[in-house]
Amino acid sequence: MSTKTEPLVLGIETSCDETGVGIVRGHTLLADEIASSVDEHARFGGVVPEVASRAHFEAMVPTMQRALDKAGVTLSDVDAIAVTAGPGLAGALLVGVAAAKAYALAAGKPIYGVNHLAAHVAVDTLEHGALPEPAIALLVSGGHSSLLRVDDLAGGVTPLGATIDDAAGEAFDKVARVLGLPFPGGPPIDRAAREGHVAIPFPRGLTAPRDLAEHRFDFSFSGLKTAVARWVEARQRAGEAVPVNDVAASFQEAVCDVLTAKAVDACREHGVETLVIGGGVAANSRIRSMAQERCDKYGITLRVPRPKLCTDNGAMVAALGSHLVAAGAAPGSLGLPSDSAMPITLVTA
Ligand code: KG4
Ligand code: ZN
């Protein structure tokens, strides 16, 4: 329930290939406008930083206008502006941070430079209300796969583990390429898997007892990616058709199995009753159903925002900004930096 006394916060996201502008009041989403340059990157099989930066530059002002129109507010109504300060592509971040500073200066508003990863967690508050703390967060995107303990979303999070090689989304994108599916690979693999069977026992990275001793809550997906590529190549060499749907289902099952098992283990070991999953891979239908089954088994409350809020958007940045304003966090200065390698332990720049 939104009231006029809750902060009206505008969020700007430009860390990768989506130009996002979101507007929230408290935990209520008022606008979530996105311009994506994904089609311009598709033929390269990955995001091209310079192309992304230019696209952000061109999309920023119209996306901002659409968001303000949609929310029915003007810039002068806004209480604060939040912007992704990192991590992400250096040039892409610069466009968003420069735009946020210009809007903040022009309208005389406080500015918050926020962490993109913490924003992927905060966005869930728009769907499920205030996040109970402590919570365990599983963050799975194209650039990151991390397990975090969240004791205070405004003050800091504690990393429990992360991928030691590819991010989960990156694995989806690379396996899609091997299977001849388009970029980004997550959505087409998700669709193909629904038509297939989990028929191939692909490896579960860092789950053997000796790996668990050293890498309890870490992930590894590069061995899985290589195993899929070898399996497909062997089929092709033998002149046999590749059962794309079954490979997609088996690969997806392996990724979701490891992610959800370690996330649930983290909740149990830490005695934490809330698991929140965020980032683009959280849009995956299998990770959502498997996480729900496993959380139900142990009495853990699962929170996963709807798929559109899982992938990059401006609303997640606004949601974190709103949380910071409500918590009384100090805003940044107009000199705030962008940091392409911003550590997850820093919620604000
Ligand atoms: O969070 P996000 O939009 O951008 C980053 O911060 O990286 O995540 C993008 C990643 C891509 O790798 C994409 O393939 C993956 O999320 N993704 C999915 C699905 N939708 C997007 N992965 C699996 N299943 C999906 N349905
Ligand atoms: Zn992201």
Side-chain angles (χ1 to χ4, degrees):
M1 186 66 193
S2 134
T3 66
K4 278 268 177 205
T5 54
E6 291 177 303
L8 182 68
V9 179
L10 184 145
I12 297 176
E13 155 61 33
T14 64
S15 69
C16 192
D17 57 345
E18 324 281 354
T19 312
V21 179
I23 301 175
V24 306
R25 187 184 288 285
H27 292 149
T28 306
L29 179 60
L30 302 181
D32 182 17
E33 292 299 316
I34 292 173
S36 178
S37 59
V38 68
D39 294 344
E40 295 174 55
H41 308 289
R43 71 191 170 99
F44 300 105
V47 175
V48 183
E50 277 309 311
V51 173
S53 305
R54 175 160 290 276
H56 287 309
F57 184 67
E58 287 167 1
M60 179 53 64
V61 172
T63 309
M64 172 67 76
Q65 199 51 55
R66 283 207 314 275
L68 291 168
D69 291 349
K70 181 83 190 288
V73 299
T74 65
L75 203 54
S76 61
D77 297 327
V78 162
D79 293 309
I81 295 175
V83 60
T84 300
L89 302 172
L93 289 167
L94 273 177
V95 178
V97 169
K101 288 177 181 174
Y103 285 116
L105 182 65
K109 304 296 179 184
I111 183 170
Y112 291 82
V114 307
N115 190 306
H116 179 84
L117 304 175
H120 268 305
V121 178
V123 73
D124 184 66
T125 59
L126 301 178
E127 188 143 348
H128 298 113
L131 182 71
E133 290 163 342
I136 297 291
L138 172 65
L139 252 175
V140 274
S141 71
H144 295 85
S145 303
S146 299
L147 259 177
L148 313 165
R149 182 186 160 110
V150 184
D151 286 288
D152 173 13
L153 189 51
V157 298
T158 312
L160 303 178
T163 180
I164 62 167
D165 41 55
D166 293 350
E170 201 178 346
F172 272 92
D173 297 339
K174 287 178 176 170
V175 165
R177 208 182 166 127
V178 166
L179 293 176
L181 297 170
F183 173 85
I189 288 190
D190 198 344
R191 279 194 296 274
R194 274 179 228 160
E195 309 297 319
H197 295 103
V198 179
I200 310 153
F202 287 130
R204 268 67 169 158
L206 298 186
T207 55
R210 69 177 143 65
D211 292 329
L212 285 177
E214 201 188 334
H215 291 289
R216 183 77 190 91
F217 295 126
D218 290 328
F219 305 107
S220 166
F221 298 108
S222 95
L224 169 61
K225 170 198 69 190
T226 307
V228 174
R230 293 234 167 93
W231 196 93
V232 169
E233 280 158 21
R235 277 280 173 136
Q236 287 167 334
R237 260 200 314 276
E240 293 168 27
V242 175
V244 170
N245 296 345
D246 288 354
V247 175
S250 305
F251 158 76
Q252 177 176 277
E253 194 76 3
V255 175
C256 297
D257 184 14
V258 178
L259 290 173
T260 58
K262 292 204 177 197
V264 167
D265 285 351
C267 290
R268 297 181 66 212
E269 268 184 33
H270 284 254
V272 169
E273 287 166 6
T274 305
L275 172 65
V276 52
I277 310 184
V281 179
N284 182 269
S285 60
R286 185 59 182 136
I287 200 173
R288 299 170 81 94
S289 65
M290 199 187 273
Q292 191 63 62
E293 283 161 27
R294 292 181 172 178
C295 283
D296 286 350
K297 186 167 167 200
Y298 294 108
I300 297 163
T301 304
L302 176 66
R303 299 170 50 126
V304 199
R306 58 184 173 272
K308 186 167 183 252
L309 292 179
C310 291
T311 47
D312 290 350
N313 61 77
M316 64 194 233
V317 180
L320 180 53
S322 165
H323 184 76
L324 289 165
V325 171
S333 76
L334 280 176
L336 75 87
S338 60
D339 179 358
S340 61
M342 189 172 181
I344 179 63
T345 44
L346 285 184
V347 175
T348 51

